[in-house]
Amino acid sequence: MNWKRWLLYLTFGTILGGVVGALFLLIFLPYRDLDILISNGTVVDGSGGPPRVCDIAIRNGKIAGLSSWRFYFSRAKLHIDAAGRIVAPGFIDVHTHVEPNIPPSGPFRADNFLRQGVTTIITGNCGRSRTDIAALFQGLEKNGTYPNVATLIGHNSVRQQVMAFASRHPTSEELNRMETIVDRAIKDGAVGLSTGLVYLPGRFAATSEVVALAKVAADEGGLYASHIRNEGPQGIEALREALDIGRQAGAATEISHFKSTGPRQWHTISQRLALLDEARLRGQTVTIDVYPYARSSTTTDVLLPDWALRDNRLGLKEVIASSEARRKLREDILFRMNEEGWKDFSFVKLAAGRREWIGKTLAQVPLVARNLDQQVENLIEISLLGGAQAVYADMDEQDVAEAATNAYCTFGSDSSVRDPTAEYLPHPRGCGTFPRIFRRYVREQGLLTMTVAVHKASGQAAEAFHLGNRGVLKSGYWADVAVFDANTIEDRADYDQPFAPPLGIDYVIVNGVVAVDHGNLTGNGPNGMPVRFQ
Ligand SMILES: [Zn+2]
């Protein structure tokens, strides 16, 4: 061997070493310093793709990468061993009502959402929202928010701002003003227009008014989300109206808290879902959301006829003065009960209002009712005092399961922020919706696979509501993550204990910060942010 050969070996060796070293640096160096490394978990990434065991690197609020080997030399400030756990995107609650809970100063807390694994909530549903979306988002940015918050612009709120509670059609000038507010809202980042056509003052809007406003939203890409005019005997007509509005406006249409209520309508959910399929065949984009419970919750006002609530409850005022009006009201309430198939009012349990009412049915308060007439009088008395929030045992479990497992369905709790210290008995959906889906529909009943359930609770929701880089565990996306145990995840909230927190959720991470650690709020953050339409 001569010196030339040695030189050749040395040169090749150096080059090879250089290449290997460069490769090493190129592969491992970008991941040397991480904020969080979640290792060995079963990653269900929210895209609908199959689960795989791998590690997730988080840095600067975003997912830095997913791999089963590239983070070998990484140093993470926090290392989470997720062996045996599901690692999923943080859940997206597409249907909430949190406007009253956002404080004018100080951060927005939403503990009951975070504890369920929810990292993003969409508020402004059922026609009720803030009308100044820019100010809402600026406030959240300035004061801080624990979850990410997106919003719809609510038709009832817009109409009230322009026309108060007038029970008539808008003038063209009034309609113009409403259109301007909706246009501004979408430009400021609202994801679409919502309606609540059973509520005031939306009840008094004609279809054409909603079409005009939905069109303004759709022109900017926003969707149309509707609490439809009727979810009981006129449910099919109400669905037709919503689909019509979406079609005429050219808007993607979301039917909120999809259901069929009242004994006569139980087991009709397939027909309702079929109606949506027909619209899709005609080329419309139609989606739904569901809370996984057979009881609903809303104000007792929904049991009253339109005329009683017109012009800011003017009809109810007439009832006080006129026995004729009271007789008419009684008749209308009874007609509707009968139409829906109810024999009495024991299915309506008051959730709020006067202390002595809470937890009692309309057959029990304000007076113990000896007969149906007395129960109707109870409703009238409570309505005269302004009405109250109630829980209605008005759905069929199989209907709920069929809607919840429909391919186009995502999940929304229909909840506000829960205050366990306040005196009320709200619907448990505010503390149990997401864990309940994984317990009942995935683990106990096997109606959804883990992959599909996670997709619905995250990626599918982000897509339907245009939330941008969220809802999927993917490099470059925001690091919203829920780590939970598929075998133990469980909702504990029920109708008697509506605040009980869920079990089985190990970590909830919002934009790269651990907000919940084994069921306990860490207090880290607030690290949420407004989520604008994208
Ligand atoms: Zn609603």
Side-chain angles (χ1 to χ4, degrees):
M1 216 180 277
N2 59 29
W3 66 272
K4 277 185 181 167
R5 185 167 285 191
W6 278 112
L7 194 64
L8 203 66
Y9 283 162
L10 195 67
T11 310
F12 274 126
T14 309
I15 290 170
L16 197 65
V19 168
V20 168
L23 270 176
F24 183 87
L25 290 178
L26 214 63
I27 290 168
F28 293 105
L29 197 65
Y31 302 105
R32 205 176 78 119
D33 294 304
L34 301 174
D35 293 329
I36 304 176
L37 179 64
I38 306 173
S39 57
N40 305 317
T42 302
V43 174
V44 181
D45 71 4
S47 70
R52 61 183 170 131
V53 175
C54 72
D55 305 339
I56 297 187
I58 295 172
R59 190 171 48 209
N60 298 329
K62 302 239 173 125
I63 310 277
L66 292 89
S67 173
S68 43
W69 55 271
R70 278 186 88 167
F71 313 128
Y72 190 79
F73 296 101
S74 297
R75 293 181 307 197
K77 288 182 197 127
L78 174 67
H79 179 217
I80 293 174
D81 181 6
R85 299 290 191 263
I86 302 292
V87 182
F91 305 136
I92 297 173
D93 188 334
V94 304
H95 192 105
T96 75
H97 298 277
V98 301
E99 286 75 20
N101 312 120
I102 298 175
S105 62
F108 169 49
R109 309 190 63 90
D111 299 354
N112 54 301
F113 292 97
L114 291 175
R115 282 184 200 275
Q116 290 180 61
V118 171
T119 52
T120 300
I121 59 182
I122 301 176
T123 191
N125 279 281
C126 304
R128 265 294 143 210
S129 74
R130 289 270 298 265
T131 49
D132 47 350
I133 304 305
L136 168 73
F137 284 167
Q138 275 157 21
L140 288 169
E141 259 153 14
K142 180 164 162 271
N143 301 324
T145 171
Y146 280 87
N148 302 307
V149 179
T151 189
L152 293 146
I153 175 79
H155 168 240
N156 289 343
S157 301
V158 173
R159 195 180 214 264
Q160 189 182 335
Q161 187 169 313
V162 172
M163 303 172 60
F165 285 99
S167 50
R168 59 172 172 78
H169 300 312
T171 63
S172 59
E173 190 263 342
E174 284 166 339
L175 185 61
N176 263 329
R177 279 165 60 202
M178 289 196 271
E179 287 170 343
T180 306
I181 298 171
V182 172
D183 182 60
R184 184 74 261 152
I186 307 287
K187 285 184 172 130
D188 287 338
V191 293
L193 174 77
S194 78
T195 54
L197 298 172
V198 289
Y199 298 122
L200 294 176
R203 265 189 186 217
F204 302 111
T207 305
S208 56
E209 172 184 330
V210 185
V211 169
L213 297 176
K215 190 167 185 333
V216 172
D219 284 349
E220 305 284 332
L223 59 92
Y224 173 57
S226 184
H227 177 156
I228 59 177
R229 246 180 243 276
N230 188 294
E231 297 175 324
Q234 288 85 37
I236 293 283
E237 284 142 79
L239 277 176
R240 286 219 168 90
E241 183 194 26
L243 294 170
D244 232 35
I245 290 167
R247 187 180 47 79
Q248 289 188 53
T253 305
E254 170 89 9
I255 311 294
S256 301
H257 40 58
F258 194 82
K259 58 170 87 79
S260 52
T261 59
R264 271 195 226 288
Q265 296 302 314
W266 289 345
H267 315 299
T268 65
I269 206 88
S270 326
Q271 282 117 278
R272 294 176 188 222
L273 289 166
L275 204 63
L276 309 190
D277 286 334
E278 284 169 29
R280 288 186 196 106
L281 282 174
R282 292 193 302 267
Q284 274 188 263
T285 300
V286 186
T287 51
I288 63 173
D289 55 82
V290 157
Y291 49 82
Y293 296 84
R295 299 188 199 179
S296 65
S297 179
T298 189
T299 163
T300 50
D301 281 358
V302 299
L303 299 167
L304 304 178
D306 280 353
W307 66 264
L309 298 167
R310 74 176 198 283
D311 294 327
N312 210 10
R313 312 174 85 81
L314 185 66
L316 280 171
K317 285 174 197 129
E318 289 165 6
V319 166
I320 301 172
S322 149
S323 59
E324 179 56 26
R326 195 166 186 124
R327 190 188 56 76
K328 172 92 175 91
L329 180 58
R330 208 180 293 137
E331 272 176 14
D332 286 356
I333 291 169
L334 282 169
F335 176 82
R336 185 171 164 166
M337 273 184 84
N338 188 46
E339 193 186 25
E340 294 193 358
W342 299 110
K343 298 206 169 12
D344 63 54
F345 266 134
S346 55
F347 74 103
V348 184
K349 196 180 258 189
L350 298 178
R354 295 194 174 175
R355 192 179 187 174
E356 61 271 25
W357 298 349
I358 296 171
K360 302 274 174 48
T361 73
L362 282 179
Q364 297 170 302
V365 287
L367 292 173
V368 175
R370 290 179 306 279
N371 52 40
L372 184 56
D373 282 343
Q374 183 56 55
Q375 293 182 18
V376 175
E377 287 303 321
N378 277 349
L379 171 61
I380 294 174
E381 281 310 313
I382 285 167
S383 303
L384 289 173
L385 293 165
Q389 191 75 14
V391 172
Y392 300 74
D394 60 356
M395 282 176 265
D396 170 73
E397 285 287 3
Q398 269 178 311
D399 280 347
V400 178
E402 194 174 335
T405 55
N406 179 269
Y408 297 89
C409 183
T410 60
F411 308 123
S413 66
D414 203 357
S415 176
S416 53
V417 173
R418 296 300 194 225
D419 175 5
T421 65
E423 239 176 298
Y424 66 152
L425 204 61
H427 196 295
R429 64 197 182 189
C431 295
T433 287
F434 285 83
R436 185 177 175 86
I437 284 154
F438 290 98
R439 173 175 68 81
R440 278 175 76 93
Y441 296 149
V442 179
R443 187 169 66 238
E444 291 177 358
Q445 301 180 5
L447 296 175
L448 292 173
T449 62
M450 179 58 76
T451 302
V452 170
V454 167
H455 178 53
K456 285 168 167 291
S458 56
Q460 190 173 332
E463 203 176 306
F465 286 85
H466 298 266
L467 303 184
N469 295 346
R470 293 190 187 275
V472 179
L473 298 175
K474 186 174 169 181
S475 195
Y477 274 45
W478 288 101
D480 296 332
V481 186
V483 180
F484 61 94
D485 187 337
N487 300 313
T488 62
I489 188 169
E490 177 186 349
D491 56 311
R492 289 194 308 138
D494 61 21
Y495 297 98
D496 299 318
Q497 303 286 333
F499 305 111
L503 294 176
I505 300 174
D506 298 308
Y507 295 96
V508 183
I509 297 171
V510 181
N511 299 317
V513 163
V514 177
V516 177
D517 183 341
H518 293 87
N520 301 311
L521 296 153
T522 61
N524 295 340
N527 210 45
M529 58 181 78
V531 179
R532 293 175 175 84
F533 170 84
Q534 287 176 49

